[in-house]
Amino acid sequence: MSSANIALLGAIAGFTIYLGLPFGRLRRPAPRLAAGLNAVAIGILIFLVWDVLTAAWEPTDEALGKHEWATALSGGLVLMAGLAVGLVGLVSYDSWTACRRAPGRPAGPGAAVAADVTYRPRTQAGSLALMIATGIGLHNFAEGLAIGNSAARGELSLAVLLIVGFGLHNATEGFGIVAPLAAAGERPSWKTLFLLGLLGGGPTFLGTVVGQRLVNDTVSIAFLALAAGSILYVVIELLAVARKADVKTLTTWCVLLGVVLGFVTDAVVTAAGA
């Protein structure tokens, strides 16, 4: 199979994320349904954090088993650094955007209108959707690297299996991106959904292209760690939204449903591989 075909399949795996994005066009749901959608997204993202950290830790774990101390140390440090940057970096960014104020309005006719047009703060739900898409994009870039690396090593059957598996996962991740918007009753435009999908799914294609030319565990660990940190931050934010809804029993069941959905898609991939 040619490099171009592998890259095309990587693109398909990434853009299955668009299968879940149309949920964001739902009209404002009832409060309990909104809380349920938010909780399912939390469950999916919790599974992703576990999945990403497991993949990021694997090279270090293998190095420890072989007593390759230098490799284990470097891998562990890269993981910790990436996790810190992904988590604390988003906290800092969120704090910075919260502290921003409209710039001073210039004097003169039409100045107030001009200022209103240029300064348009994003809603909380929109910010969460953007952060989720960013975290998933980092995660998917690392997945693309895995696809490309497998193809570069001549393991085409593994590469195809990864493409199928990541495609299944991305379909559920699309729902995770737009769940905060659906829960808040905000209907994003089709253009917004396209851009969110490009941000979340496009990196799978880029990672596949890069991975066929660059086989490097350190780079993969770094992107996985960044993804884990950013997704973990979003989970914390969504949990705060869930607490405000004050429907603990419903939230608990829906979080469980989201986690189960993650494991089910993973189980399908594993069974297909077997």
Side-chain angles (χ1 to χ4, degrees):
M1 188 179 294
S2 68
S3 297
N5 287 337
I6 291 292
L8 176 61
L9 290 175
I12 293 172
F15 290 115
T16 57
I17 202 167
Y18 283 106
L19 296 177
L21 289 176
F23 280 99
R25 295 281 298 174
L26 292 174
R27 295 191 179 277
R28 186 176 185 87
R32 288 179 64 83
L33 177 57
L37 292 172
N38 183 74
V40 171
I42 291 172
I44 292 172
L45 294 176
I46 287 174
F47 171 81
L48 280 178
V49 170
W50 171 83
D51 191 41
V52 169
L53 286 177
T54 299
W57 179 251
E58 186 176 356
T60 302
D61 196 45
E62 290 180 357
L64 287 171
K66 297 175 182 177
H67 294 175
E68 298 174 352
W69 308 118
T71 302
L73 179 61
S74 63
L77 289 176
V78 169
L79 173 57
M80 295 303 109
L83 190 61
V85 171
L87 181 57
V88 180
L90 277 184
V91 172
S92 300
Y93 171 78
D94 198 31
S95 299
W96 175 70
T97 54
C99 292
R100 289 181 64 186
R101 296 291 183 267
R105 298 172 183 259
V113 175
D116 288 338
V117 170
T118 57
Y119 181 74
R120 302 182 65 180
R122 191 181 297 115
T123 64
Q124 181 185 18
S127 296
L128 283 174
L130 180 61
M131 290 179 185
I132 294 172
T134 301
I136 287 176
L138 290 169
H139 167 223
N140 285 342
F141 183 82
E143 288 186 342
L145 288 177
I147 294 171
N149 287 175
S150 299
R153 296 188 182 104
E155 301 170 347
L156 293 182
S157 59
L158 175 59
V160 172
L161 176 62
L162 291 173
I163 287 168
V164 173
F166 296 154
L168 286 171
H169 279 309
N170 283 342
T172 59
E173 290 168 1
F175 170 77
I177 290 174
V178 297
L181 294 171
E186 296 182 19
R187 297 189 72 206
S189 65
W190 289 110
K191 178 182 177 182
T192 298
L193 292 182
F194 171 77
L195 294 175
L196 287 172
L198 193 64
L199 181 61
T204 308
F205 167 73
L206 295 177
T208 301
V209 173
V210 173
Q212 292 185 78
R213 294 164 177 78
L214 176 65
V215 181
N216 190 298
D217 281 343
T218 302
V219 174
S220 181
I221 291 171
F223 276 95
L224 285 169
L226 283 169
S230 56
I231 294 172
L232 182 58
Y233 172 75
V234 173
V235 168
I236 294 170
E237 291 294 294
L238 291 179
L239 284 171
V241 174
R243 183 170 292 277
K244 292 178 182 178
D246 197 25
V247 281
K248 184 179 291 186
T249 301
L250 175 65
T251 297
T252 302
W253 279 106
C254 289
V255 168
L256 177 62
L257 174 61
V259 173
V260 169
L261 284 174
F263 275 106
V264 166
T265 56
D266 192 61
V268 170
V269 176
T270 302

